[in-house]
Amino acid sequence: MPEHGARHRDGHVLHQFPYSEQLLSRSSEGWASVAPDWRPALTPQPGGELVPPIQSAVNFSFSPIELDHPDPFGITVVLMEEDGYRISLTEAFAR
C-alpha cells in the first residue's frame, strides 16, 4: 500500500492510497505486466505513522552519506539490510 506523508503546521498528515495489482498479461519468460487497481483513499491521519520499512527507507533517503558513490540507492539498500530488512530489487533497480 503506497503511503505519503505531508507536512502540516502541527506535525504531519499521513495520506494512504491503497491499491491491488491487476494482471494485464504474462510473457512466456514469466514476466508479468500489471496495472494498479486503485481503491478509495483512506481518511487522512494527522500524526499517522508509516509502516516501519517505508519509514526506514524515508529516513535513509534523507540521511546525508559522506561518500562519493555512484549508486546511492544501493547504499540505502545495504543500510536497510543491516537494520534487518529483507530487500528484493526488481531488475530495473538492480542495474
Side-chain angles (χ1 to χ4, degrees):
M1 175 183 317
E3 298 181 338
H4 179 269
R7 288 280 171 207
H8 186 268
R9 69 182 173 92
D10 296 324
H12 66 273
V13 177
L14 178 67
H15 297 269
Q16 293 178 299
F17 303 96
Y19 70 92
S20 60
E21 292 180 345
Q22 176 185 5
L23 179 64
L24 300 177
S25 66
R26 187 174 298 276
S27 74
S28 58
E29 295 85 24
W31 291 95
S33 293
V34 296
D37 181 12
W38 294 102
R39 308 286 186 214
L42 302 176
T43 304
Q45 300 172 29
E49 298 297 323
L50 297 170
V51 294
I54 301 297
Q55 186 63 59
S56 181
V58 169
N59 292 346
F60 284 128
S61 294
F62 291 97
S63 298
I65 298 175
E66 295 297 326
L67 55 102
D68 183 20
H69 195 279
D71 186 12
F73 183 73
I75 294 296
T76 297
V77 169
V78 169
L79 293 173
M80 289 181 70
E81 287 175 337
E82 287 177 355
D83 269 8
Y85 292 104
R86 182 173 172 210
I87 308 297
S88 177
L89 299 178
T90 63
E91 184 178 328
F93 288 111
R95 295 178 199 191

